[in-house]
Amino acid sequence: MTSETITADAAGTWKLGDLTVNRLGFGAMRLTGSAAFHLGTPSDRERSLAVLRKAVELGVNHIDTADFYFSALRSANELINSALAPYPDDLVIVTKVGPYRDYSGEWGTSARPDQLRGHVEENLRQLGRDHLDVVNLRRTRQDSIAEHFGALAELREAGLIRHLGISGVEPRHLAEARAIAPVVCVQNRFALDLPDPEGDELLRLCGEFGIAFVPFFAVAGSGGARGATDSHDDAVLAVARAHGVSPAQVRIAWSLHQGAHVLAIPGTGDPEHVVDNVAAGGLQLTDNELARFDASHRP
């Protein structure tokens, strides 16, 4: 597989409400440094800007971010604004609200419903936008998301937000949100090496309702926020060898093969990795390979 010739449209498209995006997108969390959030070494600014520009050059038109993605020197939203504004007409920027970090980088108490407008306005300021394309409510241990999601629905009615999504949820929360306002995406942790019956049920429900399912840490797997795992089972390694690709590309391709409504948002701070990640959208896995992976993901 020749990565240089493959662009983000290779995996096809999906709609977030009325916004059409290529299914292969980009996650901005890794732009800020050698590790997520305030850990590790801050990134080289020019390198991070180059990553964003390369992604868009390769056809990526769906970027996932948040105002709490920052390190000691770098803010993901500021980097996006500096690299890409004035924004291409087809670029969809998806952000999330709920969690909160203070200026020192420490996690604070998650937002109350009446504080979410401030979170939305901070994303607007950092991104230089007058409205946000999509805002995900990131659940932070609430048993019910109705009050928080209802507050975002009011901001949607006010014109600050175009579409709404939810993140870190269980199937019951999807039903709760859909009773309040349309949901265009569900963003949850979901990976080949992380069996998750609730995640599988959300994947199914989203397909049934025409909602995008957006896995995060699909490449990192069990590594999560610490970074991409270097532990791959024999099936992943064998398929990677057979196709002449990396294990990370196999993981991305497996995610996309879970349904036409599944979007991928692999993140990186390396311009060369962007090329490889986008190329994974053109990797076609065989039925036998998918069956082998399903046996481990859904034992």
Side-chain angles (χ1 to χ4, degrees), residues 14-16 183-187 206 210-214 261-263:
W14 189 258
K15 281 197 168 186
L16 297 172
V183 176
V184 302
C185 56
V186 172
Q187 189 184 100
C206 285
I211 296 170
F213 184 78
V214 190
H261 64 298
V262 178
L263 310 183

Side-chain angles (χ1 to χ4, degrees), residues 156-167:
R156 174 175 172 267
E157 291 297 321
L160 296 182
I161 301 170
R162 191 161 180 174
H163 297 294
L164 297 174
I166 51 178
S167 177

Side-chain angles (χ1 to χ4, degrees), residues 192 231-242 247 250 292-293 296:
L192 174 57
S231 176
H232 305 287
D233 65 23
D234 291 342
V236 171
L237 294 174
V239 172
R241 285 192 298 269
V250 172
R292 186 175 180 184
F293 290 145
S296 59

Side-chain angles (χ1 to χ4, degrees), residues 133-202:
D133 296 323
V134 183
V135 174
N136 285 316
L137 172 67
R138 181 64 176 270
R139 185 175 75 97
T140 48
R141 297 183 296 278
Q142 301 102 319
D143 182 61
S144 168
I145 64 170
E147 195 174 355
H148 287 77
F149 194 76
L152 290 182
E154 291 177 3
L155 297 178
R156 174 175 172 267
E157 291 297 321
L160 296 182
I161 301 170
R162 191 161 180 174
H163 297 294
L164 297 174
I166 51 178
S167 177
V169 296
E170 301 169 13
R172 63 190 176 90
H173 298 118
L174 176 58
E176 195 173 33
R178 292 183 70 237
I180 297 169
V183 176
V184 302
C185 56
V186 172
Q187 189 184 100
N188 264 39
R189 184 168 183 168
F190 189 82
L192 174 57
D193 57 348
L194 296 174
D196 178 9
E198 278 196 345
D200 290 336
E201 176 63 5
L202 271 170

Side-chain angles (χ1 to χ4, degrees), residues 19-296:
L19 303 172
T20 301
V21 296
N22 290 324
R23 292 178 61 216
L24 200 298
F26 178 80
M29 187 178 73
R30 306 285 179 196
L31 287 175
T32 65
S34 62
F37 310 118
H38 60 297
L39 306 174
T41 305
S43 63
D44 177 82
R45 178 176 171 76
E46 292 305 315
R47 181 181 173 92
S48 294
L49 295 176
V51 167
L52 286 162
R53 290 168 181 150
K54 173 57 74 173
V56 170
E57 176 188 324
L58 291 169
V60 169
N61 60 2
H62 168 212
I63 295 178
D64 175 80
T65 186
D67 68 349
F68 50 84
Y69 288 174
F70 64 87
S71 65
L73 296 180
R74 303 284 173 259
S75 155
N77 280 354
E78 186 277 327
L79 289 166
I80 292 168
N81 190 344
S82 296
L84 303 178
Y87 299 110
D89 291 341
D90 67 339
L91 181 65
V92 175
I93 299 177
V94 179
T95 189
K96 62 189 71 64
V97 296
Y100 171 75
R101 293 174 66 206
D102 64 25
Y103 291 113
S104 70
E106 294 303 314
W107 291 101
T109 303
S110 297
R112 301 188 309 269
D114 63 311
Q115 295 174 317
L116 289 176
R117 184 181 183 110
H119 286 219
V120 167
E121 290 179 344
E122 182 62 13
N123 278 282
L124 288 168
R125 183 189 68 80
Q126 293 177 6
L127 291 166
R129 306 290 296 269
D130 60 6
H131 75 278
L132 298 174
D133 296 323
V134 183
V135 174
N136 285 316
L137 172 67
R138 181 64 176 270
R139 185 175 75 97
T140 48
R141 297 183 296 278
Q142 301 102 319
D143 182 61
S144 168
I145 64 170
E147 195 174 355
H148 287 77
F149 194 76
L152 290 182
E154 291 177 3
L155 297 178
R156 174 175 172 267
E157 291 297 321
L160 296 182
I161 301 170
R162 191 161 180 174
H163 297 294
L164 297 174
I166 51 178
S167 177
V169 296
E170 301 169 13
R172 63 190 176 90
H173 298 118
L174 176 58
E176 195 173 33
R178 292 183 70 237
I180 297 169
V183 176
V184 302
C185 56
V186 172
Q187 189 184 100
N188 264 39
R189 184 168 183 168
F190 189 82
L192 174 57
D193 57 348
L194 296 174
D196 178 9
E198 278 196 345
D200 290 336
E201 176 63 5
L202 271 170
L203 172 71
R204 185 192 68 78
L205 288 170
C206 285
E208 179 180 325
F209 299 137
I211 296 170
F213 184 78
V214 190
F216 62 84
F217 296 153
V219 175
S222 58
R226 297 187 304 276
T229 182
D230 56 4
S231 176
H232 305 287
D233 65 23
D234 291 342
V236 171
L237 294 174
V239 172
R241 285 192 298 269
H243 289 272
V245 299
S246 69
Q249 289 173 301
V250 172
R251 288 170 172 270
I252 295 168
W254 176 83
S255 298
L256 292 169
H257 277 70
Q258 299 310 296
H261 64 298
V262 178
L263 310 183
I265 50 169
T268 181
D270 185 334
E272 293 184 4
H273 287 170
V274 172
V275 177
D276 291 341
N277 289 346
V278 170
L283 176 57
Q284 295 298 314
L285 302 178
T286 69
D287 290 343
N288 286 339
E289 289 166 344
L290 289 170
R292 186 175 180 184
F293 290 145
D294 277 352
S296 59

